[in-house]
Amino acid sequence: MIPKEYLVNSFMQLTSDGIVIVDVNGTVLEVNRKFEELHGWTRDEVIGQVLPMTPDQDKEDVFRLYRSLINGEQSKNFEALKLRKDGSTFYANVAVSPLIDNEGTVIGFIGVERDISEKKKAEAELLEREQQFKRLIKLNPEPIVLHKDGIIQFMNDAGCLLLSSLLEEEFKGKSIYEFLCPSDKPLVIKRLRQVKRSDNYTDFLEIKMKKLDGTFIDVEVSSIYVHKNLGFPVVQTVIRDLSERKKSEETIIRSEKLSLIGQLAAGIAHDIRNPLTSLKGFLRLLMAKNVDYVDVMMEELEHINYVVNEFMSLAKPQTNDFNASSSRELIKSVISFLQPHAHLYNVQIQLDMEPNIPSINCNPDQMKQVLINVVKNAIESMPSGGAIKIVFLNDRDQSLIIRIADEGIGIAEESLSQLGEPFFTTKTNGTGLGLMVCKRIIEGHGGTLSIHSQINQGTTVEITLPYRR
Ligand code: ADP
Ligand code: MG
């Protein structure tokens, strides 16, 4: 039989933890070699001292712990800062258990200390790395979201902005599926399963995301599984806003459609003009015979002829030819072109032109298109009739001001800022392209187009065009 005391001693000296035995007052009774090593004191230096290894500010806590152990609590495990002889400190994992005699009285305590400074340092480094990683992502101009098991851990600034919020808190802890179109969910789940199996970004996937205001936006997303940069593995998803791209795709489609209609119109107009010519010829013959109503028919035919000609000039392929054009002729032709439309709405068009307005250097087809758009909008704003005042002013021989004012329904203040954006329309069969095109054309002529409006009072569109550029 090996003596018990020898066994205990061997254990004390061989274990890789520091061991200290104190009495109920904290006076050191025994320490092992590892304790000497950890703290830098020799055994003789600490025997008889009261808690030399505990920093002063922590001593009170230790005595409280002793009291609870005396009162029958089980041993305690905790992390604490420990003192070395040279005054420096280290982090230790400490287990304290009561020493109990044969009668069951607590006569002291055994403390077992394990140095965890390295672990602490690694933890701190990880935290620092994690923060650095988050900082990098936070300020990344691309929207990025970090999520784990479908729960959002972090949304960067660009991401918050994209989903119309300024606060990261509105996303953290919520499910990513709250911000997706429900029909995309199965696809996304499938994608996320693939993400974990690869070290790379997935291909971009087009989905619809739901903003905080409930509206949807088109985006494409790509994800990667990140397990090194944070304390825990996450999926990092990069979001790309596709709304602009979608819009311009639609613009292209629409303008293609419009130009197609334009081309067809040219063909149709041509087909109408030929029979018109022969009708006119025969009418002239009838006129010679003094048949009733022929002059009325002739007038009507002239008008059809005029409209068809206008139609053709609009449909003509756009040239970039600028030439000196008479503004009087431009607006006259626009007004007679729109006269039938105005009749339909019971709208009178009044024209007031200052004398001596110089001719303007412009692309006449484009300028007509602008005036038609604006006057047509004015007509359509007065479903129960009214008057449109068109004024041409000469601004100090520098530029021409055209004001087109209606007495229509006006435009709500919140819509004013959207005017000129493609596809903003309040009409069931509107395109919402008119004003956008007008603005572009006028800017192409070095001028400006501005709109003033009051709801139910009317709208005034003011175009300024420099005579010379
Ligand atoms: P569309 O005429 O096809 O709707 P526009 O770009 O010409 O497209 O006009 C966009 C929208 O601006 C119209 O739908 C209408 O709501 C508003 N708007 C434009 N002009 C006027 C006006 N004179 N009075 C009232 N609303 C107008
Ligand atoms: Mg319009």
Side-chain angles (χ1 to χ4, degrees), residues 210-246:
K210 195 173 165 191
K211 296 210 246 181
L212 283 178
D213 61 16
T215 58
F216 286 95
I217 42 166
D218 290 298
V219 296
E220 56 181 7
V221 290
S222 167
S223 302
I224 189 169
Y225 192 53
V226 184
H227 35 85
K228 296 213 182 75
N229 296 322
L230 287 172
F232 47 87
V234 290
V235 178
Q236 175 177 326
T237 298
V238 178
I239 309 167
R240 270 194 208 152
D241 187 356
L242 290 186
S243 359
E244 283 309 313
R245 197 202 291 175
K246 286 265 161 187

Side-chain angles (χ1 to χ4, degrees), residues 119-243:
K119 187 177 141 225
K120 279 275 169 193
K121 212 168 103 193
E123 272 174 16
E125 271 171 14
L126 191 71
L127 196 73
E128 171 64 25
R129 239 195 9 232
E130 191 176 314
Q131 273 165 355
Q132 231 166 17
F133 176 67
K134 275 196 177 163
R135 252 197 310 274
L136 270 181
I137 289 194
K138 185 176 158 60
L139 301 176
N140 195 305
E142 268 198 292
I144 296 174
V145 55
L146 303 180
H147 47 104
K148 181 172 180 279
D149 304 325
I151 302 297
I152 297 175
Q153 309 291 327
F154 183 72
M155 174 78 82
N156 77 346
D157 292 357
C160 293
L161 213 60
L162 180 69
L163 299 177
S164 66
S165 165
L166 293 175
L167 291 175
E168 206 251 317
E169 285 76 46
E170 299 203 68
F171 302 98
K172 203 171 173 164
K174 288 190 184 166
S175 161
I176 51 171
Y177 301 108
E178 268 186 53
F179 302 97
L180 293 183
C181 182
S183 59
D184 287 332
K185 189 172 171 179
L187 209 59
V188 171
I189 291 179
K190 199 166 136 215
R191 262 307 162 95
L192 290 179
R193 246 183 253 131
Q194 291 170 0
V195 166
K196 295 201 178 169
R197 288 192 228 116
S198 150
D199 263 349
N200 240 322
Y201 269 110
T202 59
D203 293 336
F204 273 96
L205 172 72
E206 260 192 60
I207 55 168
K208 278 193 191 304
M209 282 191 87
K210 195 173 165 191
K211 296 210 246 181
L212 283 178
D213 61 16
T215 58
F216 286 95
I217 42 166
D218 290 298
V219 296
E220 56 181 7
V221 290
S222 167
S223 302
I224 189 169
Y225 192 53
V226 184
H227 35 85
K228 296 213 182 75
N229 296 322
L230 287 172
F232 47 87
V234 290
V235 178
Q236 175 177 326
T237 298
V238 178
I239 309 167
R240 270 194 208 152
D241 187 356
L242 290 186
S243 359

